[in-house]
């Protein structure tokens, strides 16, 4: 395994990533309530992945506006104070040799919800710190309050918010940007016919349903210039009849590539409730393969990738250009270092304090 491509650097535009082991965005619901600011939790949580050898560490879904938060405890990047709070995180990641990425997001109709470990479920009422959600159509996600349909001025505002947050992210030291168009959040809601029943230029045909995402990609690319890598996270399928699926994802990914995106982070689900998802080791890797082949685009794979051998096989077999790990990184933030040790790969970025762990005995 010493020749595995898992530890081969990957260059995207002006950024060289030291390996293909990337940390997926994972919501922590631990920002200072109401102001979206980072805390020591985020520094230690994200910093441990950089210390642990990951090539790219992507910050959780970070709201581009207050109403774009999933919960009142979500991170935000709609003002300069929030950007300054991220700086110590990006500085630490860089000091460990990792690239810093951020996922920019708007929750749409799935906004203003209680965080997962709260005793309550569903939508947080306005008088308890919540707010009115918005969406492409006034269709509620099951168990949540109905959103208000965005008008054209509101849609323009969403695009402007993505651009403003992207520029703040660059100022905060982030190397890589990702737009969140998955898991039933706003951009995904526009893409899927199950949540988008509009009859204007943002609904109906695939071209129309993809219009908001493509506007966001194009506007962010124009704003940040040619050097910054831009990823898009897709849910490749809704796992539902007549919903968003792999073929539509492949088509829109190719359009997004032409609009300025570079790599596509392929997940699935999140836009509908009560669907059957065939969860198992690497269960979303075939979706990434499909999008790569049919869209002719670079992809990363995510979803129950839990062992070094499994991660290496995905990359070595050409099934994805990189792997993203979530829960396994929570169990072992030093997964990348462990993978190098188990696979017999010599790397030069073991922290000096941990160098003894690289020894074979």
């Amino acid at each position: 395994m010493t020749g595995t491509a898992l530890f081969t650097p990957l260059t995207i535009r002006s950024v060289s990533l030291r390996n293909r082991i990337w940390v997926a965005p994972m919501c922590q619901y631990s920002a200072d309530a109401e102001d979206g600011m980072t805390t020591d939790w985020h520094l230690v949580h994200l910093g441990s992945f950089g210390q642990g050898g990951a090539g790219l560490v992507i910050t959780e879904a970070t709201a581009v506006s207050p109403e774009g938060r999933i919960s009142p405890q979500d991170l935000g990047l709609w003002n300069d104070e929030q950007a300054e709070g991220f700086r110590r995180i990006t500085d630490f990641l860089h000091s460990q040799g990792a690239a810093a990425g951020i996922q920019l997001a708007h929750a749409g109709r799935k906004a203003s919800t209680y965080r997962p470990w709260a005793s309550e479920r569903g939508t947080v009422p306005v008088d308890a710190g919540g707010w009115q959600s918005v969406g492409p159509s006034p269709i509620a996600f099951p168990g949540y309050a109905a959103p208000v349909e965005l008008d054209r001025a509101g849609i323009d505002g969403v695009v402007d918010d993505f651009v403003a947050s992207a520029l703040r992210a660059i100022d905060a030291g982030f190397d890589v940007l990702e737009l969140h168009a998955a898991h039933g959040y706003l951009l995904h809601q526009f893409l899927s016919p199950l949540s988008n029943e509009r009859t204007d230029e943002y609904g109906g045909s695939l071209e129309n349903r993809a219009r908001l995402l493509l506007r966001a990609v194009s506007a962010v690319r124009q704003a940040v210039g040619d050097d910054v890598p831009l990823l898009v996270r897709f849910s490749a399928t809704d796992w539902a009849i007549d919903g968003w699926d792999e073929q539509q994802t492949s088509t829109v990914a190719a359009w997004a590539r032409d609009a300025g995106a570079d790599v596509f982070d392929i997940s699935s689900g999140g836009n509908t409730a009560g669907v059957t998802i065939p969860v198992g080791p690497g269960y979303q890797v075939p979706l990434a393969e499909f999008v790569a082949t049919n869209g002719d685009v670079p992809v990363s794979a995510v979803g129950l990738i839990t062992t070094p051998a499994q991660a290496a096989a995905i990359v070595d077999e050409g099934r994805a250009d990189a792997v993203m790990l979530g829960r396994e990184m929570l169990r072992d933030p030093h997964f990348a270092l462990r993978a190098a040790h188990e696979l017999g790969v010599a790397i030069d970025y073991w922290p000096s304090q941990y160098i003894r762990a690289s020894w074979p005995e």
Side-chain angles (χ1 to χ4, degrees), residues 249-250 253-257 262-264 266 288 291-299 321:
T249 302
S250 302
W255 294 343
R257 175 203 60 208
D262 299 303
V263 178
F264 299 89
I266 305 301
V291 174
T293 299
N294 290 274
D296 190 24
V297 294
V299 299
D321 297 274

Side-chain angles (χ1 to χ4, degrees), residues 144-211:
Y144 294 177
V148 169
E149 180 174 304
L150 280 167
D151 59 18
R152 295 184 191 182
I155 291 172
D156 290 345
V158 168
V159 175
D160 292 342
D161 288 340
F162 272 100
V163 169
S165 291
L167 290 171
R168 287 193 179 95
I170 299 304
D171 288 343
F174 284 101
D175 308 293
V176 176
L177 307 178
E178 178 172 271
L179 303 188
H180 198 359
H183 301 163
Y185 298 120
L186 185 65
L187 298 179
H188 183 182
Q189 291 161 28
F190 269 85
L191 291 170
S192 175
L194 300 180
S195 46
N196 183 350
E197 295 183 350
R198 300 177 74 97
T199 58
D200 63 3
E201 67 267 37
Y202 290 92
S205 69
L206 181 59
E207 292 86 351
N208 285 354
R209 286 182 279 119
R211 192 178 305 277

Side-chain angles (χ1 to χ4, degrees), residues 286-317:
L287 298 173
E289 287 185 277
F290 186 97
V291 174
T293 299
N294 290 274
D296 190 24
V297 294
V299 299
S300 63
V302 67
L304 291 186
I305 300 169
T306 59
T307 71
Q310 179 194 18
I314 291 167
V315 175
D316 291 341
E317 293 167 9

Side-chain angles (χ1 to χ4, degrees), residues 227-243:
D227 292 338
V228 179
L230 179 59
L231 281 58
V232 175
R233 170 164 272 198
F234 280 118
S235 282
T237 176
D238 286 335
W239 300 107
I241 296 172
D242 297 327

Side-chain angles (χ1 to χ4, degrees), residues 1 3-10 19-22 285 289 299-301 305 308-325:
M1 295 298 295
T4 176
L6 190 64
F7 286 92
T8 301
L10 178 63
N19 59 47
R20 315 297 182 95
I21 300 172
W22 301 351
V285 175
E289 287 185 277
V299 299
S300 63
I305 300 169
Q310 179 194 18
I314 291 167
V315 175
D316 291 341
E317 293 167 9
R319 304 182 72 188
D321 297 274
V323 292
M324 286 201 185
L325 282 73

